Amino acid sequence: MVSYKELGLVNTREMFAKAINGGYAIPAFNFNNMEQLQAIIKASAETKSPVILQVSKGARNYANQTLLRYMAQGAVEYAKELGWEHPQICLHLDHGDTFEVCKSCVDFGFSSVMIDGSSLPYEDNIALTKKVVEYAHQYDVTVEAELGVLAGVEDDVQAEESHYTKPEEVIDFATRTGCDSLAISIGTSHGAYKFKPEQCTRDPQTGKLVPPPLAFDVLDAIMEKLPGFPIVLHGSSSVPQEYVDIINTHGGKMPDAVGIPEEQLRKAAKSAVCKINIDSDSRLAFTAAVRKVFVDKPGEFDPRKYCGPARDEMTKLYKHKIIEVLGSAGKAE
Ligand code: G3H
Ligand code: 13P
Ligand code: ZN
């Protein structure tokens, strides 16, 4: 048993309380490799933003859970080296799907876990979430739960249609499970293709898709039922069109990739939404930068020469999200 406290990590409790009161959101960035982690830490240290490092099932399969945890431990030291005296870094399990995987993360030094029972029948979601909460809280590890189903890909779970969270269920769910935060469905979606073209309109000038707005009425109704309770938005990448364009003009093929407009995330961040999950945008930044090097310098074969620019591009992206979208810069001085 390793406590996250010994590793210099923090759970989400205080982060979220401050974020709700301060009208901003904490960035939750997924990482799968060293370059992503370096970029996240550099951006957070340079802006003094609290940050949540997320590890998904896909990341655990790709990079190994043990290695990722040691990398996060190293990240705390790296942050200090960068001059961030008191780093506020949370290590979070993204989309945990069983009690066992949540327990293994709690036991191994994660400071926060998500148990995603959103695809289960309501009572089963409650039972599983409650079991994880009871275990995690013994070690002061915070627990995120999910109610409602997002469209798109949730790790292995394919949800064809999104089912918005039902505001009439949230009090019962939060009370009976004891969860610390709740991921909700209000129209966000995982991946780089969040909406089908038929769900969107098209900008006549650029030909780009304009996605349908998020269901802020559902968010408002949830906040009314659970005043001051931390809300989480998954699937919140914006799919920056400049990256999509670079990819498409440098040998890639990502037609009609579309995300959540940043002004909608800015609006959400000012509310009880205090954690915003971003993964796909970092993948796009990485891919655009690598594709550009491959086209511009076809003789290049040193991975540092294409992963380096990719890391710089991701750092720029993370800083932009922190400063311009979530408003979390300077909140972890
Ligand atoms: O919620 C999904 C995240 O973007 C993680 O995706 O399972 O491909 O790592 P992944
Ligand atoms: P995106 O695919 O929109 O980046 O969402 C990531 C996410 O929700 C991770 O849990
Ligand atoms: Zn997610």
Short mmCIF file of all heavy atoms in Angstrom, two decimals, residues 33 35-36 39 243 282-291 293 303-318:
data_model
loop_
_atom_site.label_atom_id
_atom_site.label_comp_id
_atom_site.label_asym_id
_atom_site.label_seq_id
_atom_site.Cartn_x
_atom_site.Cartn_y
_atom_site.Cartn_z
N ASN A 33 2.44 8.92 -22.53
CA ASN A 33 3.88 8.82 -22.82
C ASN A 33 4.62 9.98 -22.18
O ASN A 33 4.02 10.91 -21.63
CB ASN A 33 4.14 8.77 -24.34
CG ASN A 33 3.64 10.02 -25.05
OD1 ASN A 33 3.64 11.11 -24.50
ND2 ASN A 33 3.22 9.85 -26.29
N GLU A 35 6.43 12.45 -23.46
CA GLU A 35 6.33 13.80 -24.04
C GLU A 35 5.05 14.49 -23.59
O GLU A 35 5.04 15.69 -23.29
CB GLU A 35 6.39 13.72 -25.58
CG GLU A 35 7.77 13.46 -26.14
CD GLU A 35 8.19 12.00 -26.06
OE1 GLU A 35 7.35 11.15 -25.66
OE2 GLU A 35 9.35 11.71 -26.37
N GLN A 36 3.95 13.73 -23.54
CA GLN A 36 2.68 14.32 -23.08
C GLN A 36 2.81 14.77 -21.63
O GLN A 36 2.39 15.86 -21.27
CB GLN A 36 1.56 13.27 -23.16
CG GLN A 36 0.76 13.34 -24.42
CD GLN A 36 -0.35 12.30 -24.41
OE1 GLN A 36 -0.16 11.18 -23.95
NE2 GLN A 36 -1.50 12.68 -24.93
N ALA A 39 4.92 17.88 -21.30
CA ALA A 39 4.20 19.06 -21.77
C ALA A 39 3.15 19.51 -20.75
O ALA A 39 2.99 20.71 -20.49
CB ALA A 39 3.54 18.76 -23.12
N TYR A 243 -5.17 22.35 -36.35
CA TYR A 243 -4.48 21.05 -36.33
C TYR A 243 -5.07 20.10 -37.37
O TYR A 243 -4.35 19.37 -38.04
CB TYR A 243 -4.57 20.40 -34.94
CG TYR A 243 -3.80 21.14 -33.86
CD1 TYR A 243 -4.29 21.22 -32.56
CD2 TYR A 243 -2.58 21.74 -34.13
CE1 TYR A 243 -3.60 21.90 -31.56
CE2 TYR A 243 -1.87 22.41 -33.15
CZ TYR A 243 -2.39 22.48 -31.86
OH TYR A 243 -1.70 23.14 -30.89
N SER A 282 -4.80 16.99 -27.50
CA SER A 282 -3.38 16.75 -27.36
C SER A 282 -2.90 15.76 -28.44
O SER A 282 -1.82 15.92 -29.01
CB SER A 282 -3.12 16.22 -25.95
OG SER A 282 -1.95 15.52 -25.87
N ARG A 283 -3.73 14.78 -28.73
CA ARG A 283 -3.39 13.83 -29.80
C ARG A 283 -3.29 14.54 -31.14
O ARG A 283 -2.42 14.24 -31.96
CB ARG A 283 -4.46 12.74 -29.89
CG ARG A 283 -4.60 11.92 -28.63
CD ARG A 283 -5.72 10.90 -28.76
NE ARG A 283 -5.91 10.19 -27.50
CZ ARG A 283 -6.57 9.05 -27.37
NH1 ARG A 283 -7.15 8.50 -28.42
NH2 ARG A 283 -6.70 8.48 -26.19
N LEU A 284 -4.20 15.49 -31.36
CA LEU A 284 -4.19 16.23 -32.63
C LEU A 284 -2.96 17.11 -32.73
O LEU A 284 -2.32 17.19 -33.79
CB LEU A 284 -5.46 17.09 -32.74
CG LEU A 284 -6.76 16.30 -32.94
CD1 LEU A 284 -7.97 17.19 -32.69
CD2 LEU A 284 -6.83 15.71 -34.35
N ALA A 285 -2.61 17.79 -31.62
CA ALA A 285 -1.42 18.65 -31.62
C ALA A 285 -0.18 17.82 -31.93
O ALA A 285 0.66 18.20 -32.75
CB ALA A 285 -1.27 19.34 -30.26
N PHE A 286 -0.09 16.68 -31.28
CA PHE A 286 1.06 15.77 -31.47
C PHE A 286 1.13 15.32 -32.94
O PHE A 286 2.17 15.43 -33.60
CB PHE A 286 0.89 14.56 -30.54
CG PHE A 286 2.12 13.72 -30.37
CD1 PHE A 286 2.80 13.71 -29.16
CD2 PHE A 286 2.61 12.92 -31.40
CE1 PHE A 286 3.95 12.94 -28.98
CE2 PHE A 286 3.75 12.15 -31.24
CZ PHE A 286 4.42 12.15 -30.02
N THR A 287 0.01 14.83 -33.43
CA THR A 287 -0.02 14.29 -34.80
C THR A 287 0.27 15.34 -35.85
O THR A 287 1.03 15.10 -36.80
CB THR A 287 -1.40 13.64 -35.07
OG1 THR A 287 -1.62 12.66 -34.05
CG2 THR A 287 -1.48 12.99 -36.43
N ALA A 288 -0.30 16.55 -35.65
CA ALA A 288 -0.06 17.63 -36.63
C ALA A 288 1.43 17.96 -36.67
O ALA A 288 2.01 18.09 -37.76
CB ALA A 288 -0.89 18.87 -36.25
N ALA A 289 2.06 18.07 -35.50
CA ALA A 289 3.47 18.45 -35.45
C ALA A 289 4.35 17.36 -36.08
O ALA A 289 5.27 17.65 -36.84
CB ALA A 289 3.90 18.71 -34.00
N VAL A 290 4.04 16.11 -35.79
CA VAL A 290 4.84 15.01 -36.33
C VAL A 290 4.68 14.93 -37.86
O VAL A 290 5.65 14.81 -38.61
CB VAL A 290 4.46 13.67 -35.66
CG1 VAL A 290 5.08 12.49 -36.40
CG2 VAL A 290 4.90 13.66 -34.20
N ARG A 291 3.43 15.03 -38.32
CA ARG A 291 3.19 14.96 -39.77
C ARG A 291 3.93 16.07 -40.50
O ARG A 291 4.45 15.88 -41.59
CB ARG A 291 1.69 15.08 -40.06
CG ARG A 291 0.95 13.78 -39.90
CD ARG A 291 -0.41 13.84 -40.59
NE ARG A 291 -1.10 12.58 -40.48
CZ ARG A 291 -0.87 11.52 -41.27
NH1 ARG A 291 0.03 11.61 -42.23
NH2 ARG A 291 -1.53 10.41 -41.09
N VAL A 293 6.75 17.59 -39.64
CA VAL A 293 8.19 17.28 -39.73
C VAL A 293 8.41 16.22 -40.82
O VAL A 293 9.33 16.34 -41.64
CB VAL A 293 8.76 16.78 -38.38
CG1 VAL A 293 10.21 16.34 -38.54
CG2 VAL A 293 8.65 17.85 -37.31
N PRO A 303 13.78 10.30 -33.50
CA PRO A 303 12.48 10.57 -32.87
C PRO A 303 12.46 11.88 -32.06
O PRO A 303 11.42 12.51 -31.94
CB PRO A 303 12.26 9.36 -31.95
CG PRO A 303 13.04 8.27 -32.59
CD PRO A 303 14.25 8.93 -33.22
N ARG A 304 13.61 12.28 -31.54
CA ARG A 304 13.64 13.53 -30.76
C ARG A 304 13.35 14.72 -31.65
O ARG A 304 12.88 15.75 -31.18
CB ARG A 304 15.00 13.70 -30.09
CG ARG A 304 15.25 12.66 -29.01
CD ARG A 304 16.66 12.71 -28.52
NE ARG A 304 17.61 12.40 -29.60
CZ ARG A 304 18.93 12.22 -29.42
NH1 ARG A 304 19.45 12.31 -28.22
NH2 ARG A 304 19.72 11.95 -30.45
N LYS A 305 13.61 14.56 -32.95
CA LYS A 305 13.42 15.68 -33.88
C LYS A 305 11.96 15.82 -34.32
O LYS A 305 11.59 16.81 -34.92
CB LYS A 305 14.35 15.53 -35.10
CG LYS A 305 15.82 15.55 -34.73
CD LYS A 305 16.27 16.97 -34.42
CE LYS A 305 17.62 17.09 -33.73
NZ LYS A 305 18.71 16.41 -34.39
N TYR A 306 11.15 14.79 -34.09
CA TYR A 306 9.71 14.99 -34.34
C TYR A 306 8.88 14.93 -33.07
O TYR A 306 7.86 15.61 -32.96
CB TYR A 306 9.16 14.06 -35.44
CG TYR A 306 9.49 12.60 -35.34
CD1 TYR A 306 8.71 11.74 -34.57
CD2 TYR A 306 10.57 12.06 -36.04
CE1 TYR A 306 9.01 10.39 -34.49
CE2 TYR A 306 10.88 10.70 -35.96
CZ TYR A 306 10.09 9.87 -35.18
OH TYR A 306 10.38 8.53 -35.10
N CYS A 307 9.34 14.18 -32.07
CA CYS A 307 8.62 14.19 -30.78
C CYS A 307 8.86 15.50 -30.04
O CYS A 307 8.00 15.96 -29.29
CB CYS A 307 9.04 13.01 -29.91
SG CYS A 307 8.43 11.45 -30.56
N GLY A 308 10.03 16.12 -30.27
CA GLY A 308 10.34 17.41 -29.63
C GLY A 308 9.36 18.50 -30.07
O GLY A 308 8.70 19.13 -29.23
N PRO A 309 9.22 18.72 -31.39
CA PRO A 309 8.22 19.70 -31.85
C PRO A 309 6.80 19.34 -31.40
O PRO A 309 5.98 20.21 -31.09
CB PRO A 309 8.33 19.65 -33.38
CG PRO A 309 9.72 19.16 -33.64
CD PRO A 309 10.07 18.25 -32.50
N ALA A 310 6.50 18.04 -31.35
CA ALA A 310 5.16 17.61 -30.89
C ALA A 310 4.97 18.01 -29.43
O ALA A 310 3.90 18.51 -29.03
CB ALA A 310 5.01 16.10 -31.06
N ARG A 311 5.99 17.83 -28.64
CA ARG A 311 5.92 18.20 -27.21
C ARG A 311 5.73 19.71 -27.06
O ARG A 311 4.93 20.17 -26.26
CB ARG A 311 7.22 17.74 -26.55
CG ARG A 311 7.26 17.92 -25.07
CD ARG A 311 8.51 17.30 -24.49
NE ARG A 311 9.73 17.89 -25.06
CZ ARG A 311 10.95 17.37 -24.91
NH1 ARG A 311 11.12 16.25 -24.23
NH2 ARG A 311 12.00 17.97 -25.43
N ASP A 312 6.46 20.48 -27.88
CA ASP A 312 6.31 21.95 -27.82
C ASP A 312 4.88 22.36 -28.19
O ASP A 312 4.30 23.25 -27.58
CB ASP A 312 7.28 22.64 -28.80
CG ASP A 312 8.73 22.46 -28.36
OD1 ASP A 312 8.96 22.07 -27.20
OD2 ASP A 312 9.62 22.69 -29.19
N GLU A 313 4.34 21.71 -29.20
CA GLU A 313 2.99 22.05 -29.65
C GLU A 313 1.96 21.70 -28.56
O GLU A 313 1.02 22.45 -28.31
CB GLU A 313 2.67 21.31 -30.96
CG GLU A 313 1.53 21.91 -31.75
CD GLU A 313 1.68 23.38 -32.07
OE1 GLU A 313 2.70 23.77 -32.67
OE2 GLU A 313 0.77 24.16 -31.71
N MET A 314 2.16 20.56 -27.91
CA MET A 314 1.23 20.17 -26.82
C MET A 314 1.35 21.14 -25.64
O MET A 314 0.34 21.50 -25.03
CB MET A 314 1.51 18.74 -26.36
CG MET A 314 1.12 17.70 -27.38
SD MET A 314 1.24 16.02 -26.74
CE MET A 314 3.00 15.82 -26.58
N THR A 315 2.57 21.59 -25.34
CA THR A 315 2.75 22.55 -24.24
C THR A 315 1.95 23.82 -24.54
O THR A 315 1.25 24.36 -23.67
CB THR A 315 4.25 22.90 -24.05
OG1 THR A 315 4.98 21.68 -23.93
CG2 THR A 315 4.47 23.75 -22.82
N LYS A 316 2.07 24.28 -25.79
CA LYS A 316 1.34 25.48 -26.22
C LYS A 316 -0.17 25.28 -26.06
O LYS A 316 -0.89 26.13 -25.54
CB LYS A 316 1.69 25.75 -27.69
CG LYS A 316 1.58 27.18 -28.12
CD LYS A 316 2.18 27.35 -29.51
CE LYS A 316 1.08 27.38 -30.56
NZ LYS A 316 1.55 27.33 -31.94
N LEU A 317 -0.63 24.11 -26.49
CA LEU A 317 -2.06 23.79 -26.39
C LEU A 317 -2.52 23.78 -24.93
O LEU A 317 -3.54 24.38 -24.58
CB LEU A 317 -2.33 22.42 -27.03
CG LEU A 317 -3.72 21.87 -26.74
CD1 LEU A 317 -4.70 22.33 -27.81
CD2 LEU A 317 -3.74 20.36 -26.65
N TYR A 318 -1.77 23.10 -24.06
CA TYR A 318 -2.18 22.99 -22.65
C TYR A 318 -2.22 24.39 -22.00
O TYR A 318 -3.13 24.70 -21.23
CB TYR A 318 -1.23 22.09 -21.87
CG TYR A 318 -1.26 20.63 -22.27
CD1 TYR A 318 -0.07 19.93 -22.48
CD2 TYR A 318 -2.45 19.94 -22.42
CE1 TYR A 318 -0.08 18.57 -22.84
CE2 TYR A 318 -2.46 18.59 -22.77
CZ TYR A 318 -1.28 17.91 -22.98
OH TYR A 318 -1.30 16.58 -23.33
#
